[in-house]
């Protein structure tokens, strides 16, 4: 006996097709959502990279401007220093060229005194007056040297010191306290402020 309600294969296939058609839009939506999320990820990544590049370019530009400013400042400072150095060197050369001028001008009155004394001594018979005249000129010259911070180096009675004295000879002495000391001076020594400009030539007791 045959089945009263047999299932038509055609109807069953149609129902399957309808189900497949109904499910397709949802699948498409899921696919579109996945694609858009992928696109969004790369879009954001590209934007970040572009922003980073823009920031680096800006920083590079600022560094170039700063470098130009520093280079300009260095060139100006170098130019100023070079001018200063040239000016100082010129002043030094001028000073060396005219350093003796003040001393020479100060010595001229002493020369005048010597010339007057020589002329006067031709007519003066009093030897004491001649001696006194020379002493006055000598004292005037010593005062002039002191004005220029020149002073005599102490020698006689001082312990022999190679920083100030130059021994020309050694002489035996009977006095124990004179041994190793200056007992005579053959040529006076002088200092200009604290600098020895001529050593005292001395005789040292032994």
């Amino acid at each position: 006996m045959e089945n009263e309600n047999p299932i038509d294969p055609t109807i069953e296939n149609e129902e399957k097709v309808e189900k497949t058609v109904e499910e397709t839009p949802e699948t498409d939506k899921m696919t579109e959502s996945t694609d858009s999320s992928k696109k969004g990820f790369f879009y954001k990544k590209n934007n970040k990279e572009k922003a980073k590049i823009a920031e680096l370019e800006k920083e590079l530009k600022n560094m170039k401007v700063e470098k130009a400013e520093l280079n300009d400042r260095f060139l100006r400072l170098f130019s100023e220093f070079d001018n200063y150095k040239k000016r100082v060197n010129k002043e030094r050369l001028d000073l060396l060229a005219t350093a003796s001028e003040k001393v020479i001008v100060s010595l001229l009155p002493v020369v005048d005194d010597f010339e007057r004394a020589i002329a006067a001594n031709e007519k003066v018979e009093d030897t004491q007056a001649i001696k006194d005249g020379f002493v006055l000129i000598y004292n005037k010259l010593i005062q002039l040297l002191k004005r220029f911070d020149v002073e005599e180096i102490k020698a006689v009675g001082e312990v022999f010191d190679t920083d100030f004295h130059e021994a020309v000879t050694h002489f035996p002495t009977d006095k124990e306290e004179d041994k190793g000391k200056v007992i005579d001076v053959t040529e006076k020594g002088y200092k200009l402020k604290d600098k020895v400009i001529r050593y005292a030539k001395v005789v040292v007791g032994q």
Side-chain angles (χ1 to χ4, degrees), residues 45-190:
K45 187 176 180 181
N46 289 336
N47 282 347
K48 285 182 180 180
E49 289 178 352
K50 288 179 181 178
K52 182 88 173 180
I53 292 171
E55 184 180 351
L56 290 173
E57 288 178 346
K58 183 179 179 182
E59 186 177 348
L60 179 62
K61 184 178 179 181
N62 291 335
M63 290 178 68
K64 286 182 178 179
V65 171
E66 185 178 357
K67 177 187 174 184
E69 291 176 354
L70 290 173
N71 188 53
D72 182 64
R73 190 184 304 173
F74 169 77
L75 290 175
R76 282 190 281 107
L77 286 173
F78 180 80
S79 179
E80 289 175 5
F81 176 75
D82 189 54
N83 291 334
Y84 166 77
K85 189 166 64 173
K86 287 179 181 178
R87 185 172 66 252
V88 169
N89 288 337
K90 185 178 182 301
E91 290 175 355
R92 185 179 297 172
L93 290 173
D94 292 341
L95 181 62
L96 290 173
T98 60
S100 59
E101 180 180 350
K102 188 177 180 180
V103 178
I104 293 171
V105 170
S106 300
L107 282 171
L108 292 178
V110 179
V111 175
D112 295 337
D113 288 344
F114 271 115
E115 290 177 347
R116 282 191 288 266
I118 292 170
N121 290 341
E122 292 178 356
K123 301 175 183 179
V124 175
E125 296 180 357
D126 186 0
T127 56
Q128 187 61 43
I130 295 174
K131 291 178 182 179
D132 291 342
F134 275 110
V135 170
L136 288 172
I137 296 172
Y138 172 77
N139 289 334
K140 187 174 183 178
L141 181 58
I142 293 299
Q143 292 302 317
L144 175 63
L145 291 175
K146 286 182 178 179
R147 277 172 48 198
F148 288 101
D149 298 316
V150 177
E151 60 177 317
E152 181 183 336
I153 294 174
K154 294 180 181 180
V156 176
E158 298 291 323
V159 176
F160 177 73
D161 188 347
T162 54
D163 289 337
F164 303 102
H165 310 136
E166 180 183 340
V168 292
T169 186
H170 290 79
F171 194 80
T173 178
D174 296 331
K175 296 181 180 180
E176 192 66 28
E177 63 270 18
D178 287 343
K179 291 183 179 181
K181 291 184 178 180
V182 177
I183 58 176
D184 195 13
V185 177
T186 60
E187 185 178 86
K188 291 182 178 180
Y190 291 92

